[in-house]
Amino acid sequence: MSSSQAPDDQQGGGDPPGDLRSVLVTSVLNLEPLDEDLFRGRHYWVPTTQRLFGGQIVGQALVAAAKSVSEDVHVHSLHCYFVRAGDPKVPVLYQVERTRTGTSFSVRSVKAVQHGKPIFICQASFQQAQPSPLQHQFSMPAVPPPEELLDHEALIDQYLRDPNLQERYRVGLNRIAAKEVPIEIKLVNPPILSQLQSKEPKQMFWVRARGHIGEGDMKMHCCVAAYISDYAFLGTALLPHQWQCNVHFMVSLDHSMWFHNPFRADHWMLYECESPWAGGSRGLVQGRLWRRDGILAVSCAQEGVIRVQSRVSESKL
């Protein structure tokens, strides 16, 4: 298998049913070239916060960076900062700077701009494939396969049929159900409503892009993984506090990724997320994307601002 291609049979799971091309490829990550190293990105899905989805900006920035390197090099890491809220009413311009082009490694800097000001900055490093006798990885957690789990839509429907569900949760779940998110999710240990308050800051879910991407160029699968990696990621830090606090403001500050092995983003991958720390109105989350054959594909880390108000304080107002 060429290093420029994502694995097919090795990852397992086969192609998603049907041959519908993923909207992540045809629309979300399909940038419009305006000039050399200058691109325009548009929006597909906007969260209820009416701020641009961070994963979209990371994915589009990586697409822009990847267009400025040769075919024989592939991203191995990226480090990003969100510096302003994105405006969903206007497109985003991506300006690429060719910081360094070396024999083995090349670095690209990307600035995302709206209204004449940067909203996001990113540095991505690309490497030419090199063999290495030094190899090791953690072991993938033992979890049920995605075929044995409810998809996100079916799980939400199950919650909504519970007659004891509080109205504020019913409203939130209906909002989630109405989203047209271009990824599929299956929670490994879906929370039981009566156990929400004792949830650890850890979660695992199977995830893949909706629709077909194909074996194709590994660069596109990395860009899709960048989009996927930000979905529900920072929310891991809220899991122990859902019943004690109301979230007034939650937004990503930075996002980093390291790409280890080829994968297909339209095949099921296990997203293992945990939050080792929260404090100072910030939360830290770490994640690993596993191929279902046990190969570690991607590692992620993110810190975000989380401002909350105690439900106890609210009850006294």
Side-chain angles (χ1 to χ4, degrees):
M1 181 187 66
S2 168
S3 62
S4 65
Q5 293 183 323
D8 194 354
D9 295 338
Q10 292 180 347
Q11 187 170 333
D15 289 333
D19 59 357
L20 182 64
R21 192 77 167 154
S22 171
V23 71
L24 286 168
V25 176
T26 61
S27 177
V28 180
L29 300 176
N30 186 19
L31 301 185
E32 176 187 0
L34 300 178
D35 203 341
E36 184 177 32
D37 296 337
L38 181 64
F39 305 90
R40 177 161 53 202
R42 301 188 181 276
H43 320 312
Y44 173 78
W45 168 67
V46 178
T48 55
T49 59
Q50 290 306 300
R51 294 171 175 265
L52 290 183
F53 174 48
Q56 172 190 292
I57 303 174
V58 177
Q60 289 181 343
L62 185 54
V63 169
K67 289 180 179 294
S68 70
V69 298
S70 59
E71 292 185 2
D72 60 342
V73 297
H74 298 277
V75 64
H76 71 88
S77 70
L78 59 84
H79 302 275
C80 316
Y81 282 94
F82 299 90
V83 294
R84 288 183 176 85
D87 183 351
K89 297 186 294 296
V90 299
V92 180
L93 295 180
Y94 294 92
Q95 304 169 349
V96 181
E97 177 185 318
R98 304 190 184 205
T99 308
R100 180 179 185 269
T101 301
T103 304
S104 299
F105 293 88
S106 297
V107 177
R108 298 293 184 261
S109 301
V110 183
K111 183 189 296 183
V113 178
Q114 284 186 319
H115 305 296
K117 295 180 179 179
I119 64 169
F120 169 90
I121 53 177
C122 171
Q123 284 198 319
S125 183
F126 297 79
Q127 180 188 16
Q128 195 164 45
Q130 297 173 324
S132 172
L134 191 155
Q135 296 185 20
H136 73 265
Q137 68 163 52
F138 284 177
S139 296
M140 177 179 169
V143 299
E147 292 79 14
E148 296 180 7
L149 301 171
L150 291 176
D151 61 33
H152 211 214
E153 292 79 4
L155 183 62
I156 289 174
D157 184 61
Q158 185 180 84
Y159 288 150
L160 290 173
R161 288 200 305 268
D162 187 333
N164 298 318
L165 181 67
Q166 295 182 34
E167 184 59 27
R168 57 192 172 92
Y169 292 116
R170 190 175 300 278
V171 170
L173 287 169
N174 278 313
R175 285 176 181 168
I176 294 172
K179 296 176 182 177
E180 294 185 11
V181 183
I183 56 180
E184 296 179 78
I185 293 174
K186 293 190 176 186
L187 291 176
V188 171
N189 292 303
I192 300 172
L193 293 178
S194 61
Q195 297 176 346
L196 283 176
Q197 56 188 346
S198 60
K199 187 88 171 152
E200 280 190 290
K202 297 180 180 181
Q203 62 176 338
M204 290 188 288
F205 50 90
W206 292 99
V207 62
R208 69 179 176 184
R210 291 189 186 276
H212 182 70
I213 298 174
E215 196 165 354
D217 187 348
M218 187 59 209
K219 287 187 176 70
M220 179 52 67
H221 286 278
C222 289
C223 294
V224 171
Y227 181 99
I228 289 173
S229 69
D230 191 40
Y231 190 79
F233 194 27
L234 188 56
T236 309
L238 294 176
L239 294 178
H241 315 287
Q242 293 180 102
W243 282 57
Q244 294 93 348
C245 298
N246 267 336
V247 177
H248 288 289
F249 184 78
M250 184 171 73
V251 65
S252 303
L253 289 171
D254 57 36
H255 191 82
S256 296
M257 300 182 71
W258 297 265
F259 300 86
H260 310 306
N261 288 288
F263 59 90
R264 280 186 58 169
D266 57 351
H267 283 180
W268 288 115
M269 292 189 290
L270 179 68
Y271 201 5
E272 179 189 11
C273 307
E274 60 184 4
S275 174
W277 174 88
S281 293
R282 304 190 318 278
L284 176 68
V285 289
Q286 299 168 340
R288 288 181 283 270
L289 276 166
W290 300 88
R291 288 178 6 195
R292 64 184 297 169
D293 61 359
I295 298 298
L296 181 59
V298 185
S299 296
C300 312
Q302 184 179 106
E303 189 177 48
V305 175
I306 305 177
R307 295 191 180 127
V308 300
Q309 182 176 30
S310 168
R311 296 197 194 281
V312 175
S313 298
E314 281 186 322
S315 65
K316 295 179 179 179
L317 294 178

